[in-house]
Amino acid sequence: NTKEYIPPQSSDSIDLTHLYSPYSALVELSTNQTLAQNKSQSKIYPASLTKIMTAIIAIENIENLTEEMLLTNKHFETLYERDASMAGFLPGEKVTMKDLLYGTLLPSGAECCLALADQIAMSESKFVNLMNSKAKELGMNNTLFCNSTGLHNANHYSTVEDMAKLLQYALKNKEFRTI
């Protein structure tokens, strides 16, 4: 016996007090209407939510998702020190772009982010420029990306409102939704 989801008629009926995060935004995708929010314009560190932008930039810039690349020590060396989340790939392994996308989004693999950045823009810093350009294009006016992984950096920030804009955009992409 499954119940059908019926959206609330007003934001007054949505209780945000039991959420894990004090920052939230609930947006109805079909109407783009914000149903509820709490501190959605406050500056936050997006952490692994950064990987949504990394994945969408990669998807939009990779012509052939079956293309393979060789992972090198360069994609791993700083990540071990920082105890970054990894997808489980190893240096010397050949992987497809599609596998890197899955590794970016599902297990939050930082090595996948760095490999995609290298493949697409030849460096993470150039890839970050693409990320920030896309953020501006999407109206994410309170966001600045400093890396592709979401590893902490005091200058790497966003808001829940901006991340909601990004997620709305990403969900329109068939490949992103599939992953």
Side-chain angles (χ1 to χ4, degrees):
N1 192 5
T2 60
K3 293 183 179 180
E4 180 182 336
Y5 171 74
I6 300 171
Q9 297 305 307
S10 78
S11 60
D12 296 336
S13 62
I14 300 171
D15 179 14
L16 299 177
T17 58
H18 301 292
L19 293 179
Y20 180 74
S21 175
Y23 309 99
S24 60
L26 178 62
V27 178
E28 170 61 46
L29 290 177
S30 62
T31 64
N32 200 29
Q33 177 187 1
T34 300
L35 301 176
Q37 62 83 29
N38 189 37
K39 299 181 185 177
S40 66
Q41 295 178 355
S42 297
K43 188 183 208 183
I44 61 163
Y45 297 109
S48 283
L49 292 177
T50 299
K51 293 175 176 107
I52 297 170
M53 180 64 87
T54 299
I56 203 66
I57 294 296
I59 289 167
E60 291 179 351
N61 285 279
I62 295 170
E63 291 181 30
N64 179 3
L65 292 177
T66 63
E67 179 184 350
E68 290 185 333
M69 77 171 291
L70 181 67
L71 298 179
T72 66
N73 286 329
K74 173 180 151 185
H75 301 123
F76 296 85
E77 54 198 18
T78 61
L79 301 177
Y80 294 128
E81 299 164 7
R82 297 196 61 192
D83 197 28
S85 61
M86 308 277 262
F89 295 111
L90 299 171
E93 191 171 353
K94 267 193 172 181
V95 295
T96 66
M97 297 299 111
K98 189 170 205 155
D99 287 341
L100 290 173
L101 285 168
Y102 273 87
T104 295
L105 290 173
L106 298 182
S108 197
E111 79 275 30
C112 300
C113 299
L114 296 180
L116 288 167
D118 276 352
Q119 185 70 13
I120 291 162
M122 306 308 280
S123 73
E124 187 180 28
S125 62
K126 289 178 184 174
F127 188 83
V128 167
N129 290 339
L130 296 174
M131 294 170 69
N132 286 319
S133 292
K134 179 59 80 173
K136 276 191 171 143
E137 178 188 318
L138 297 177
M140 297 171 65
N141 300 322
N142 298 304
T143 296
L144 179 67
F145 294 111
C146 295
N147 60 60
S148 63
T149 61
L151 287 170
H152 185 74
N153 178 315
N155 296 317
H156 188 95
Y157 61 87
S158 189
T159 65
V160 170
E161 182 177 84
D162 279 2
M163 295 309 289
K165 289 176 186 177
L166 173 59
L167 186 56
Q168 285 175 291
Y169 176 79
L171 288 172
K172 292 176 185 172
N173 183 287
K174 184 180 181 238
E175 192 67 44
F176 183 90
R177 272 194 335 275
T178 299
I179 296 169

